[in-house]
Amino acid sequence: MKTFTTAAISAAFLASNVHAFPKMAMDALTEPLKAEAFNVKRTTEIHARQGAAPPQGAGALPLVPPPFDAKTQYVSNQGKYKFVPPGPGDARGECPGLNALANHNYLPHNGYATIQQFIDATEAGFGMAKDLGGFLGLYGALVDGNLLGWSINGGPHIGIGGSHNNYEADSSPLKSDLNQYGSNQKLIKDQFYSLYNRQPDAATANYNLEVLRDFRKERYYESIHKNPYYSYLPFTGIEVSQAAFTFIYRFMANKSDENPEGVLNKEVLKSFMAIYGDDEENLHWKRGHERFPDNFYKRNPTDEYSIPYFEADILYFAETVPEVLEIGCNHGSVNTFNTIDAATISNGAYTAEQAAQSPLCFASEFAKVEIPLITGLSNSALSPLFNTLNTLTGNMNCASIGSVNQSALTACPGFSFYGGPTGPVAKGAIQDPVLN
Ligand code: HEM
Ligand SMILES: *[C@@H]1O[C@H](CO)[C@@H](O)[C@H](O)[C@H]1NC(C)=O
Ligand SMILES: *[C@@H]1O[C@H](CO)[C@@H](O)[C@H](O)[C@H]1NC(C)=O
């Protein structure tokens, strides 16, 4: 599907279409992909999920509303689970879900936990299925930890705060792009209000998947326009950065008898995002103070958020934002975004169509090739962990990627700027006010 294969053609194209870019360029690039990705079977599956319309609208709802059981779904924020703000030695990072779990002692309060503790806590607090919790926890232990556990902040190779382009990525919902702001953890005022104001009426507000995919599109283009080092790569882009959006509704929404799929209103969003204050125009952010609200009900145990569920949500996003299935980067200045063909980066192992059909396969196979390079561990040392990854993705029969074409990545200056929680600000970065 690669329409513009060489940098020269793309540069010429950009030069003559400065004002039209990137909308026009992206349409041209993604149109063939879209046709392939949304074949009849896919579309039927996605629309089947959205069958039950009221009261949330076309927010990618399950075909049959999940059951609701107050007793098993209630998440206590009392007693041993009461909110305790982080102290000076406690790690709190870019993930509001993990911060909230640590603040309420579902995770160790210091923010360091084992793979099993991450699996147990994400299930107890939010109803994350064990396959997804296992995948995310294991990946953290491999790439950002000591193979057994990791920090929810930390620094390079010792926590998810220090894992730019390995785990943490650009174009997050509320948090800053590393080389746009010099930090991957500031909360940007315009980003917050852009999401917040999408549901103006507090009485009916629901930040569902439909709202979130529109917001996701805006954030994607905002990074192209403002972050010279914006990189959107197979694992951190297609997978992790989508999770940062879908998790907002899938996990933070409050479930009930009336709305078993969940409603995410303004108060609950603010509580989980550590936003405080009464003046709606001048809300404040208290770093690391994410809280479970009172009387919060998580997902039903029979309706946990699993890897296949998450993959379907990525495809739901891609219906209106097909850009999310393609990788690419800015080339050192804003508005220089070019896509990278999946076949080029995978040395022919995946065509763009195959990558779009199975984004998790493409992303996790890419990650498997990159992990030995990132961690310096040998393949034999990693094999027990790869076996676990294979078990998790096993029923998808993913085609393996023998080697990643590293020279295709050298076109992305942001890719080599590994780091976090802080890092250099790229020349030409455009910054907006932060929320304090
Ligand atoms: C072991 C499980 C988890 C891991 C390893 C993890 C890791 C991460 C990472 C690396 C990011 C940064 C992504 C980016 O750069 O865009 C992130 C962001 C985020 N995570 Fe988690 N997370 C986990 C569980 C959860 C849970 C249970 C929630 C529930 C609400 C959650 C909600 C979010 C949200 C909303 C963001 C985006 C924050 C923002 O930019 O506004 N995560 N997480
Ligand atoms: C969740 O919904 C139930 C039922 O409507 C309600 O009683 C409870 O207060 C809600 N919780 C939050 C955190 O909004
Ligand atoms: C690897 O990437 C470079 C730079 O984009 C490209 O010229 C080359 O053809 C790629 N190799 C393969 C096997 O696709």
Side-chain angles (χ1 to χ4, degrees):
M1 59 67 63
K2 191 68 180 164
T3 320
F4 306 103
T5 356
T6 69
I9 295 172
S10 297
F13 180 83
L14 279 177
S16 60
N17 288 279
V18 173
H19 298 292
F21 187 85
K23 178 77 183 99
M24 214 189 105
M26 288 312 299
D27 283 352
L29 288 168
T30 55
E31 210 48 51
L33 180 65
K34 217 164 146 184
E36 184 57 37
F38 303 109
N39 57 34
V40 175
K41 183 168 166 283
R42 272 277 138 80
T43 310
T44 313
E45 282 168 8
I46 294 166
H47 286 278
R49 290 200 91 98
Q50 298 173 56
Q56 282 99 348
L61 297 172
L63 183 55
V64 178
F68 178 76
D69 171 39
K71 212 169 132 227
T72 49
Q73 290 177 240
Y74 171 68
V75 181
S76 172
N77 63 356
Q78 308 289 315
K80 70 183 259 222
Y81 297 118
K82 79 168 196 296
F83 174 76
V84 178
D90 296 326
R92 295 293 181 273
E94 72 269 24
C95 175
L98 298 175
N99 288 355
L101 289 168
N103 289 339
H104 289 271
N105 274 315
Y106 285 97
L107 279 174
H109 202 258
N110 66 9
Y112 291 80
T114 64
I115 297 169
Q116 193 60 50
Q117 286 172 324
F118 282 112
I119 296 172
D120 293 343
T122 52
E123 189 173 40
F126 291 104
M128 182 184 282
K130 284 190 169 65
D131 65 341
L132 185 55
F135 186 95
L136 296 176
L138 180 64
Y139 189 86
L142 278 173
V143 171
D144 300 319
N146 65 359
L147 306 188
L148 303 173
W150 43 277
S151 163
I152 64 176
N153 190 27
H157 298 296
I158 54 163
I160 60 168
S163 67
H164 187 58
N165 288 333
N166 285 348
Y167 216 153
E168 178 273 318
D170 291 331
S171 198
S172 314
L174 307 186
K175 301 289 164 62
S176 48
D177 281 16
L178 180 65
N179 300 116
Q180 185 185 350
Y181 287 93
S183 162
N184 58 20
Q185 318 208 338
K186 292 180 176 168
L187 198 134
I188 306 305
K189 190 174 180 183
D190 291 3
Q191 293 173 209
F192 171 72
Y193 276 107
S194 170
L195 175 61
Y196 197 64
N197 293 338
R198 278 161 200 266
Q199 295 287 285
D201 182 355
T204 58
N206 186 15
Y207 300 90
N208 65 22
L209 236 53
E210 193 181 16
V211 174
L212 288 163
R213 73 177 177 181
D214 289 349
F215 180 50
R216 202 282 164 269
K217 184 169 196 166
E218 175 179 285
R219 288 290 302 125
Y220 179 89
Y221 284 107
E222 194 172 9
S223 285
I224 292 177
H225 296 324
K226 296 179 178 172
N227 176 3
Y229 288 170
Y230 181 38
S231 293
Y232 187 87
L233 298 163
F235 184 71
T236 49
I238 295 173
E239 297 291 326
V240 181
S241 87
Q242 256 54 254
F245 288 82
T246 73
F247 284 15
I248 294 175
Y249 174 70
R250 293 300 188 202
F251 288 129
M252 295 179 177
N254 180 45
K255 285 70 178 176
S256 63
D257 253 328
E258 317 84 77
N259 302 118
E261 318 82 1
V263 171
L264 179 54
N265 67 21
K266 286 179 183 275
E267 287 315 308
V268 175
L269 177 74
K270 285 190 285 187
S271 177
F272 278 124
M273 292 297 195
I275 305 289
Y276 293 81
D278 298 322
D279 177 358
E280 289 286 288
E281 309 294 312
N282 286 295
L283 294 164
H284 298 288
W285 177 59
K286 255 186 169 165
R287 188 182 189 285
H289 285 229
E290 290 83 358
R291 309 175 78 120
F292 277 85
D294 291 341
N295 300 312
F296 177 70
Y297 296 89
K298 65 168 176 172
R299 307 184 66 84
N300 187 275
T302 65
D303 180 45
E304 292 189 331
Y305 197 58
S306 62
I307 288 177
Y309 203 143
F310 171 50
E311 294 310 303
D313 281 352
I314 294 179
L315 296 172
Y316 173 76
F317 272 31
E319 272 194 327
T320 57
V321 200
E323 292 90 332
V324 300
L325 296 183
E326 286 207 320
I327 54 173
C329 63
N330 268 344
H331 288 217
S333 43
V334 299
N335 299 327
T336 54
F337 195 88
N338 275 325
T339 56
I340 303 171
D341 191 354
T344 306
I345 204 172
S346 68
N347 287 324
Y350 279 74
T351 64
E353 289 76 14
Q354 288 165 333
Q357 289 286 342
S358 193
L360 181 67
C361 278
F362 179 51
S364 59
E365 294 300 327
F366 175 86
K368 270 157 66 179
V369 179
E370 289 291 299
I371 284 170
L373 306 174
I374 292 167
T375 60
L377 297 166
S378 69
N379 266 314
S380 63
L382 289 167
S383 74
L385 296 144
F386 282 172
N387 289 344
T388 314
L389 277 181
N390 289 342
T391 314
L392 294 170
T393 54
N395 57 4
M396 294 190 281
N397 288 317
C398 299
S400 65
I401 295 177
S403 62
V404 167
N405 181 351
Q406 297 295 334
S407 64
L409 289 172
T410 57
C412 301
F415 184 69
S416 54
F417 266 96
Y418 174 73
T422 58
V425 176
K427 192 163 161 279
I430 299 169
Q431 297 184 353
D432 298 306
V434 299
L435 198 63
N436 290 303

